[in-house]
Amino acid sequence: LKDSRVVSVGIVGVSGYTGRELLRILQLHAYVRITEVYGETSAGRRLHEVYPFLDKNTASLEIKDFFKEKHQAEFYFICVHHGKAQELVASLVEEGKKVIDLSADFRLKSAAIYEKTYGVKHKYPGLLETAVYGLPEIYREEIRQARLVANPGCLARAAILSLYPLLREEMVDVSAPIIIDAKTGTSGAGRGLREDLHFPHMNENFKPYAALYHRHQPEIEQELSFSTDLNISFVPHLLPVDRGILVSSYVSLKANLSKEQIAAVFKKVYAGEAFISVLLSGYPELKGVRGTNNVHVGFQTKDRRAVIFVALDNLLSGASGTAVHNFNLMAGFEEKEGLSALTPLYP
Amino acid sequence: LKDSRVVSVGIVGVSGYTGRELLRILQLHAYVRITEVYGETSAGRRLHEVYPFLDKNTASLEIKDFFKEKHQAEFYFICVHHGKAQELVASLVEEGKKVIDLSADFRLKSAAIYEKTYGVKHKYPGLLETAVYGLPEIYREEIRQARLVANPGCLARAAILSLYPLLREEMVDVSAPIIIDAKTGTSGAGRGLREDLHFPHMNENFKPYAALYHRHQPEIEQELSFSTDLNISFVPHLLPVDRGILVSSYVSLKANLSKEQIAAVFKKVYAGEAFISVLLSGYPELKGVRGTNNVHVGFQTKDRRAVIFVALDNLLSGASGTAVHNFNLMAGFEEKEGLSALTPLYP
Amino acid sequence: LKDSRVVSVGIVGVSGYTGRELLRILQLHAYVRITEVYGETSAGRRLHEVYPFLDKNTASLEIKDFFKEKHQAEFYFICVHHGKAQELVASLVEEGKKVIDLSADFRLKSAAIYEKTYGVKHKYPGLLETAVYGLPEIYREEIRQARLVANPGCLARAAILSLYPLLREEMVDVSAPIIIDAKTGTSGAGRGLREDLHFPHMNENFKPYAALYHRHQPEIEQELSFSTDLNISFVPHLLPVDRGILVSSYVSLKANLSKEQIAAVFKKVYAGEAFISVLLSGYPELKGVRGTNNVHVGFQTKDRRAVIFVALDNLLSGASGTAVHNFNLMAGFEEKEGLSALTPLYP
Amino acid sequence: LKDSRVVSVGIVGVSGYTGRELLRILQLHAYVRITEVYGETSAGRRLHEVYPFLDKNTASLEIKDFFKEKHQAEFYFICVHHGKAQELVASLVEEGKKVIDLSADFRLKSAAIYEKTYGVKHKYPGLLETAVYGLPEIYREEIRQARLVANPGCLARAAILSLYPLLREEMVDVSAPIIIDAKTGTSGAGRGLREDLHFPHMNENFKPYAALYHRHQPEIEQELSFSTDLNISFVPHLLPVDRGILVSSYVSLKANLSKEQIAAVFKKVYAGEAFISVLLSGYPELKGVRGTNNVHVGFQTKDRRAVIFVALDNLLSGASGTAVHNFNLMAGFEEKEGLSALTPLYP
């Protein structure tokens, strides 16, 4: 654990929701100095013009054009769309930088699956091999050594955390279908204007989208398919709230297990995890985790069926919070540094 | 079809959400005269004091005590809690009245299952046998002849409609688990104050409840278990909206079927149904059905898995709207009478 | 009162919120046949493709291009933006049609004020003189005789109704400032995508806009300035809800008046008005009028100050509902025809 | 400025929203150790059972009964209802403690006005004289010396901040009426269940309450009446959101002033204030301040009328945030200590 040195950090893509959230968190981090910020539409403006909440040091930074500047920070967070991130990441890695990529570009090990899923050619298949999937609860040691970490998709993180313990411990009947019914707040869709996110349409509304064909499914399958292919049905739905994901995952168990036995497995597998709480009574709900990097997990069982609920904040634990968690591991800081000040905004 | 006569109607329990909704619908009904209204806390007041929106005829009715009055209407709608409804229903049936019971008291054929589910003794097991489960799409002819109709639970109606066609047509692999992941607006929980429905708690929130042990599950199993017991996991969640249910039902198919093939089955089974729309593109969403008695159904398939989405308004198609639908069948009116004026409030 | 004949109606601009709402209402109207519908982006499609809720007759209409068709209906509702409406209205009036214009183009008597307010040249100042301001509570007789009715702005209607009685009865000290603090739901801003109406921005938000310089102010001043110029401060705010306007209007009284005395003035001035309810206890709230054409009015007084609250549904009483009210007057139908089926969607 | 010592703090009334918020903030405070927590219904439980988000030190505290314990902390925050706070405050002051009272019991200088406003006898009129009104922007020096600080009402703080600069600088025509039209989120009403805060009622709703007779008006008048009585109309409204107050205050000016001139006055009067931002373009909105201790101020003018908008988070700047601000002044810490980590949760 090194505590004395301050690390210089650059953020590429500061005008979206995840870039904004990173600025907010890193400002609470004792050992970070943001030295470079990049944007497209916002290039040329000072950060405080876009984000008046920032403190003195960060606020005066000018938003610049990534391709016109010399990159001098040690670490970079990439907050641009998939397809566009590839090139930025590759050039930064080549320059010897450490990179945390919040896009989907380096999450999938297979370039073929990436191309099928995102409809974009992958130009750096070699880098895919060295990239580490940024789920600290599974890849802590690899992340510590990584030069490039691919931050998980928000829905994927929730889904994987809900299923990993029982699958790893081989308690699931994997011949039976696994259902992941996910519900997410609207900020997951980003800042881009869309008819279905026009307030009068989305307010008081609720609907499924991308049923059975969502882009996070390959990520989930990649991380959970231990020995055999899984039969996963993944369906996300859009909630009329700002933030929050709640995933309800249904599995068939090999043997009858009580709620308490399931909880014990999760407590063992996630032992020592700073951000995961296993609830023994009640169920996870969005407002218990909103504004935090925490993950709440709950359960119910009946006969040989189990349902596991996971709640997290899609912009924090689902994106920028976990990105900082990964950063802390890569840079050798305490895992909760900068993240423990994020307590739930309730009500 | 008899159009010329006006039917006299009594409503027992007018101060809850379903009683209110019945008043609103029946006021639009050309052949109904509400002649009696009963309540507990509101007894002694005129209807217009409680519901200023009512028109002249209905508004001046006095809310009375059910047990102190002579019952002179032909039809009665029962909008009181389960356990309390039993006795009212039984006495009205004995008086020769036709009754539509919106409570859970006569939905289950087995008194034993009722007692286990609701923790209340059933005093009229004989009546359970003659009661008809009020799902017009399945029991149209029985409802026409019925003296007592048990209106379905709101979540049960959505769940049953989502699964009935594929099960009846024997297209589902019933050895595999069936998952019903339901999401409902808050009005389904009624007018009673509760901590989890306090606005600052429920707003921007979302959570599961009664997972795997919800009281509507036996109703669903009763109506869907054609030849064999089903392996159903039913989990409802609470949405931060006023109205609306969306159910996502997952089944394993016996053979590969396209989305269009599934839709064709639904179109066949629900042919001629006035309130059911099978969507061929897009998915059902709450705001497409809010304020109406309509049911929107949509699908997706992949390999041999299918997910069926059903959206309906929990207070209309899920309660009072279907109650009036049942009434129209029992009284010999057109099925849409009083209900076709309910078009979606959008936005 | 003529009840036996059916009137043919055309709607110009069916894809916006007010056009949609007109279709919904007119479908409930016993004596209307919609024979023509016009749109731009939706031209060439059948109505039911855009609005699946419509009944058989209307649903099959094709949306056409206004400028390419012969106009054969008797009445036209114009639901296009100000500036664009002028020409359509003028040509229809010349063709001998009766027109209800929901845009701002014929509300202001002065072409100069119109041009200053909307930044658009008015090409038909002559028509401005014959157009009647479509506020039935003030101009009932003029509307009955009108060929062209200019439907009021939604905020303007609420503001005028709140102030008209006390001003007309000369009870207000007009030397003191009059404050109209208005709050409106988001559907008032229409279907066009805007950053501030992106769900993640508007949800849980609230803000003023166009303070002291809103375009409805000249309309309000025109209708309320009886003998002298008024000193009006008009500030609208945007509420995170779908529908509803609540206006809080503050005046100084010439003499001390109780709440009951104020209410008596309103009851006298609005005597017989089908859609206005004067509340003697409690205050108006959005959910009391949502989904209806009703206007709820309430009061409070203290010393010689009074505040008047008016609540209405911006898309109904604030737009399409009042348009149909005007239509009923122009066509000689009962004023509530088509509108009385609109009862409040609660909850 | 003393930075080296840690201060011991007790919180009386930890189960309400303001108590919870204090725990959340003080956990971020570098120099506070919470040593005692008191509650009624929650007495006997550990803090982490009620608030799972708390860190190790605080979480293990037992909630105790105030009247049965010896009070050993240096500072106390009182978060109980008015009427009940009086006695607790008086006894703590007598014990030599420093007290920040978040209730209304010591805000009004006049016991007579207190009794008329709250319908409760004031038993400690002597203490009223020594209590300091806890508005740091006005009473910074007095707060530094105070033993008892009365934390302002949430609406009162917003209203006073909106009007203080122009009144102090004598730019307002005080013979004309002053209108304060306030809108507040629901958390201001507290945790107690109420019919009008039942989710299905409050959601999508908006309404005025306590018009012209709200209990915060005397507080506002006390703080703003420099030389003469003001003619203030104060009307709050309830917004369907969790958090946030937006006040729209209308004044008549003695002379024509531009928006920029008004802003200059505010910038001068609030120069150096850590939590106040004067916006030169755009208007304040709830989501700009949600989750922070910040106050956003904006303006518009026309002729000799001005409207001033103030937005703040009712639980932070309107209650617990300002309480910690007051604490920092009383204890000699930096004013922003513990509060600067509260950045806006957006979206």
Side-chain angles (χ1 to χ4, degrees), chain C residues 181 183 200-201 203-206 212-213 231-233 237 242 248 250 285-287 301-302 305 346, chain D residues 181 183 200-201 203-206 212-213 231-232 237 242 248 250 285-287 301-302 305 346-347:
Chain C
D181 191 280
K183 300 89 176 172
H201 183 83
N203 184 42
E204 289 292 290
N205 210 348
F206 179 73
L212 303 181
Y213 295 93
N231 177 0
I232 289 180
S233 295
H237 304 70
D242 285 348
S248 311
Y250 300 82
E285 46 190 314
L286 292 196
K287 243 170 172 169
T301 62
K302 190 179 181 182
R305 286 163 282 148
Y346 180 93
Chain D
D181 191 281
K183 300 87 176 172
H201 182 83
N203 183 43
E204 290 292 287
N205 210 350
F206 180 73
L212 304 181
Y213 295 94
N231 177 1
I232 289 180
H237 303 71
D242 286 347
S248 311
Y250 300 82
E285 44 189 315
L286 292 196
K287 243 170 171 168
T301 62
K302 190 178 180 184
R305 285 162 283 148
Y346 179 93

Side-chain angles (χ1 to χ4, degrees), chain A residues 180-193:
Chain A
I180 308 171
D181 190 281
K183 300 88 176 171
T184 177
T186 57
S187 60
R191 276 188 60 187
L193 302 188

Side-chain angles (χ1 to χ4, degrees), chain B residues 111-273:
Chain B
I113 295 179
Y114 173 84
E115 288 168 12
K116 190 178 158 208
T117 306
Y118 291 95
V120 177
K121 175 92 189 144
H122 206 300
K123 300 191 215 152
Y124 309 92
L127 260 183
L128 284 182
E129 283 166 43
T130 61
V132 174
Y133 191 71
L135 206 78
E137 293 81 359
I138 302 186
Y139 298 108
R140 179 168 277 103
E141 293 314 315
E142 293 86 339
I143 293 165
R144 282 205 171 104
Q145 311 304 326
R147 301 207 64 81
L148 167 57
V149 165
N151 217 56
C154 52
L155 292 165
R157 175 164 163 81
I160 294 166
L161 290 177
S162 74
L163 291 167
Y164 176 71
L166 293 180
L167 284 167
R168 200 194 74 177
E169 300 297 301
E170 301 187 351
M171 288 165 157
V172 174
D173 172 2
V174 293
S175 70
I178 293 173
I179 310 295
I180 308 170
D181 190 282
K183 301 86 176 173
T184 177
T186 56
S187 59
R191 279 188 58 189
L193 302 187
R194 277 169 35 179
E195 277 200 14
D196 67 345
L197 294 179
H198 191 49
F199 185 86
H201 182 83
M202 189 61 219
N203 185 42
E204 290 292 287
N205 209 349
F206 180 72
K207 60 163 192 176
Y209 68 98
L212 303 182
Y213 295 94
H214 190 275
R215 286 168 164 178
H216 286 183
Q217 180 152 348
E219 232 179 278
I220 299 168
E221 289 171 339
Q222 167 181 289
E223 297 305 321
L224 293 177
S225 296
F226 288 92
S227 55
T228 176
D229 278 0
L230 297 175
N231 176 1
I232 289 180
S233 295
F234 174 58
V235 176
H237 303 71
L238 202 53
L239 284 165
V241 304
D242 285 347
R243 288 177 180 237
I245 284 172
L246 190 130
V247 157
S248 311
S249 296
Y250 300 80
V251 296
S252 297
L253 300 170
K254 286 184 179 165
N256 249 326
L257 291 175
S258 71
K259 189 174 157 176
E260 289 69 26
Q261 287 172 308
I262 304 262
V265 175
F266 274 74
K267 277 180 173 279
K268 189 185 87 178
V269 173
Y270 293 141
E273 288 300 340

